[in-house]
Coordinates of all heavy atoms in Angstrom, one line a residue:
Chain A
L4 N -0.9 21.4 -30.7 CA -0.7 20.0 -30.2 C -1.7 19.1 -30.9 O -2.9 19.3 -30.7 CB -0.8 19.9 -28.7 CG 0.4 20.5 -28.1 CD1 0.2 20.6 -26.6 CD2 1.7 19.7 -28.3
S39 N 8.1 18.4 -26.3 CA 8.3 19.8 -26.3 C 7.2 20.5 -25.3 O 7.4 21.5 -24.7 CB 8.1 20.4 -27.7 OG 6.9 20.1 -28.1
L40 N 6.1 19.8 -25.2 CA 5.0 20.2 -24.3 C 5.6 20.1 -22.7 O 5.5 21.1 -22.1 CB 3.8 19.3 -24.5 CG 2.7 19.6 -23.5 CD1 2.1 21.0 -23.8 CD2 1.6 18.6 -23.7
L79 N -28.6 11.6 -18.4 CA -29.4 10.7 -18.9 C -31.0 11.2 -19.0 O -31.6 10.9 -20.1 CB -29.5 9.3 -18.1 CG -28.1 8.6 -18.1 CD1 -28.2 7.5 -17.1 CD2 -27.5 8.3 -19.4
Q105 N -51.6 9.0 -25.4 CA -51.7 9.4 -23.9 C -50.4 8.8 -23.1 O -49.9 9.6 -22.3 CB -52.8 8.6 -23.3 CG -53.1 8.6 -21.9 CD -53.5 10.0 -21.3 OE1 -54.6 10.5 -21.7 NE2 -52.7 10.7 -20.6
L107 N -47.3 8.3 -24.3 CA -46.1 9.0 -24.7 C -46.1 10.4 -24.1 O -45.0 10.8 -23.7 CB -45.9 9.0 -26.3 CG -45.6 7.7 -26.8 CD1 -45.8 7.6 -28.3 CD2 -44.2 7.2 -26.4
K123 N -32.3 21.8 -10.9 CA -32.5 22.6 -9.8 C -31.9 22.0 -8.5 O -31.2 22.8 -7.7 CB -34.1 22.7 -9.7 CG -34.5 23.6 -8.5 CD -34.9 25.0 -9.1 CE -35.7 25.8 -8.1 NZ -36.5 26.8 -8.8
L195 N -44.1 -0.8 -19.8 CA -45.2 -0.5 -20.7 C -44.8 -0.4 -22.1 O -45.4 -0.8 -23.1 CB -45.9 0.8 -20.2 CG -47.2 1.2 -21.0 CD1 -48.1 0.0 -21.3 CD2 -47.8 2.3 -20.4
D209 N -33.4 -10.1 -21.8 CA -32.4 -9.3 -22.0 C -32.2 -8.3 -20.9 O -31.1 -7.6 -20.8 CB -32.6 -8.5 -23.3 CG -34.0 -7.8 -23.4 OD1 -34.9 -8.3 -22.8 OD2 -34.1 -6.8 -24.1
V211 N -33.9 -8.9 -17.4 CA -34.0 -9.5 -16.1 C -33.5 -10.9 -16.3 O -33.9 -11.6 -17.1 CB -35.5 -9.5 -15.7 CG1 -35.7 -10.3 -14.4 CG2 -36.0 -8.1 -15.5

Side-chain angles (χ1 to χ4, degrees):
Chain A
L4 288 170
S39 62
L40 180 66
L79 297 177
Q105 172 75 64
L107 291 166
K123 185 98 168 200
L195 181 52
D209 52 331
V211 177

